[in-house]
Amino acid sequence: MDWEESFGKELSSFLTRRQFIFHAPMNEHTTFKIGGAADVLIFPSTPLEVASVFKLANKFQIPCTVLGNGSNVLVLDNGVRGVVIKFIDKFFGGIRLEDGNIIAGAGAKLKDVSNFAAENSLCGMEFAVGIPGSIGGAVFMNAGAYDGEMKNIVHNVKAVNRAGELLDFGADKLDLGYRQSIFQTNGCAICEVELKLNRGECEEIKNKMSDFTERRESKQPLELPSAGSTFKRPKGYFAGTLIDKTGLKGLKIGGAMVSEKHAGFVVNVGGATAADVLNLIEEVKRRVKEAHGVTLTPEVRIIGE
């Protein structure tokens, strides 16, 4: 591609060589282990770098896709054109305490933030200990489990818009609902999250986290690559229960299978393509609709071409 050389040269003026990869196979950068190559994958380490990447992409007129830890996405088989910005804990995972609140970089893993909260006797974050994502991705999706959700604990978010401007979003501006946030429509990249938690007993918090971890490990197919829960919860039902009742556990298309351990998960049992996953999702939706009259909606974010 003719833009690559000059784009790479300009990237090198503000990023280290370890922070970007051309033709990056996205199956190596998502928990599903599926997906074609991104034209260029970038790991920023500061909001200023994120702003510079957006400005550069605008200058070259190439699209930009923002990812968290790559845990709730299905990258399509032909990959992603333009730039993919990925927030990872190595470059964007700082966690600190400020005025009693936790400030975490967008790439910080939920597990690490939960443990940091426990160590500081702060409660309210226990539900997130087993969710396999980053704090930025968790805000983007308003992640939740065990009657907890990000909506209840996020106080402020620092983000960068596509013009490269740094913005602050207070809790009242986040539009957090079931698996939704304002960031799904405004194009901003979440850079830093401030959490307001309550004081608690360290031992009690850790016990609760152990209990949630045990429950998750016993029920979910964590031993196989997946993107987490495949479908949103339909009103009045649980997706996994409906799929199970339809007799679809173990249903397989190519390398994609409805988990035999938890029907709410589509797993990669080896060499699955994005097409396999999409075909399986459609088949599950069709059969559940036929059997129960309920339309399932995928929770997994689908990106690329």
Side-chain angles (χ1 to χ4, degrees), residues 9-38:
K9 197 172 278 186
E10 294 212 32
L11 274 182
S12 300
S13 69
F14 62 90
L15 296 178
T16 68
R17 197 57 198 85
R18 295 181 312 146
Q19 285 180 268
F20 59 95
I21 307 166
F22 281 96
H23 310 294
M26 292 306 291
N27 61 343
E28 293 175 12
H29 298 279
T30 61
T31 58
F32 225 151
K33 306 285 180 225
I34 291 173

Side-chain angles (χ1 to χ4, degrees), residues 102-120:
I102 290 177
I103 314 277
K109 288 182 178 157
L110 283 170
K111 181 182 73 178
D112 295 338
V113 182
S114 298
N115 285 325
F116 181 86
E119 294 299 340
N120 287 280

Side-chain angles (χ1 to χ4, degrees), residues 7 48-61 64 161-165:
F7 189 80
L48 197 61
E49 287 177 0
V50 177
S52 300
V53 171
F54 276 152
K55 286 174 183 170
L56 193 58
N58 292 340
K59 178 182 167 181
F60 279 80
Q61 296 186 307
C64 250
N161 70 12
R162 296 291 166 131
E165 300 162 325

Side-chain angles (χ1 to χ4, degrees), residues 32 71-72 74 141 178 221 225-233 239-240 243 257-259 262-268 277-278 280-282 284-285 296-302:
F32 225 151
S71 65
N72 194 48
L74 174 65
M141 287 299 293
Y178 178 64
S226 80
S229 292
T230 306
F231 297 98
K232 291 180 181 176
R233 191 174 64 233
I243 296 164
M257 184 178 85
V258 175
S259 166
H262 189 311
F265 286 67
V266 168
V267 292
N268 178 358
V277 174
L278 292 177
L280 185 57
I281 283 173
E282 284 310 311
V284 168
K285 281 173 66 179
L296 294 178
T297 310
E299 181 176 313
V300 178
R301 210 177 136 213
I302 295 162

Side-chain angles (χ1 to χ4, degrees), residues 12-297:
S12 300
S13 69
F14 62 90
L15 296 178
T16 68
R17 197 57 198 85
R18 295 181 312 146
Q19 285 180 268
F20 59 95
I21 307 166
F22 281 96
H23 310 294
M26 292 306 291
N27 61 343
E28 293 175 12
H29 298 279
T30 61
T31 58
F32 225 151
K33 306 285 180 225
I34 291 173
D39 289 342
V40 56
L41 178 63
I42 297 175
F43 308 108
S45 66
T46 66
L48 197 61
E49 287 177 0
V50 177
S52 300
V53 171
F54 276 152
K55 286 174 183 170
L56 193 58
N58 292 340
K59 178 182 167 181
F60 279 80
Q61 296 186 307
I62 53 176
C64 250
T65 303
V66 179
L67 280 192
N69 192 42
S71 65
N72 194 48
V73 295
L74 174 65
V75 176
L76 298 179
D77 296 317
N78 289 334
V80 192
R81 301 294 65 82
V83 168
V84 174
I85 296 174
K86 190 171 186 225
F87 289 89
I88 59 172
D89 60 345
K90 181 179 173 183
F91 292 115
F92 226 114
I95 309 168
R96 66 186 191 276
L97 212 51
E98 220 171 80
D99 300 327
N101 287 354
I102 290 177
I103 314 277
K109 288 182 178 157
L110 283 170
K111 181 182 73 178
D112 295 338
V113 182
S114 298
N115 285 325
F116 181 86
E119 294 299 340
N120 287 280
S121 301
L122 293 168
C123 63
M125 185 82 198
E126 297 90 331
F127 73 90
V129 69
I131 299 174
S134 63
I135 192 90
V139 172
F140 182 89
M141 287 299 293
N142 185 28
Y146 303 117
D147 296 327
E149 57 180 342
M150 295 306 296
K151 182 183 181 175
N152 303 335
I153 57 175
V154 178
H155 183 61
N156 192 69
V157 174
K158 283 192 192 306
V160 173
N161 70 12
R162 296 291 166 131
E165 300 162 325
L166 193 61
L167 306 172
D168 268 281
F169 292 83
D172 58 332
K173 298 282 189 288
L174 298 174
D175 190 25
L176 296 174
Y178 178 64
R179 301 297 173 264
Q180 73 163 46
S181 73
I182 194 166
F183 301 105
Q184 292 173 16
T185 52
N186 71 5
C188 292
I190 296 164
C191 291
E192 202 172 72
V193 178
E194 182 178 356
L195 304 173
K196 199 176 184 66
L197 302 173
N198 298 315
R199 301 296 307 171
E201 271 304 316
C202 184
E203 211 49 47
E204 213 173 283
I205 295 165
K206 285 183 174 177
N207 287 341
K208 200 172 181 182
M209 280 162 56
S210 296
D211 174 46
F212 287 161
T213 301
E214 215 170 281
R215 280 155 69 176
R216 186 176 285 273
E217 285 173 355
S218 67
K219 289 179 183 162
Q220 296 183 3
L222 307 179
E223 66 287 347
L224 288 166
S226 80
S229 292
T230 306
F231 297 98
K232 291 180 181 176
R233 191 174 64 233
K235 214 172 173 57
Y237 300 92
F238 289 102
T241 308
L242 287 172
I243 296 164
D244 193 4
K245 280 183 175 168
T246 315
L248 301 181
K249 271 185 176 176
L251 179 67
K252 204 163 166 268
I253 293 180
M257 184 178 85
V258 175
S259 166
E260 291 170 319
K261 194 172 183 182
H262 189 311
F265 286 67
V266 168
V267 292
N268 178 358
V269 292
T273 62
D276 292 340
V277 174
L278 292 177
N279 289 334
L280 185 57
I281 283 173
E282 284 310 311
E283 186 59 16
V284 168
K285 281 173 66 179
R286 187 184 70 76
R287 294 206 205 173
V288 167
K289 175 77 172 166
E290 211 171 76
H292 305 282
V294 179
T295 303
L296 294 178
T297 310

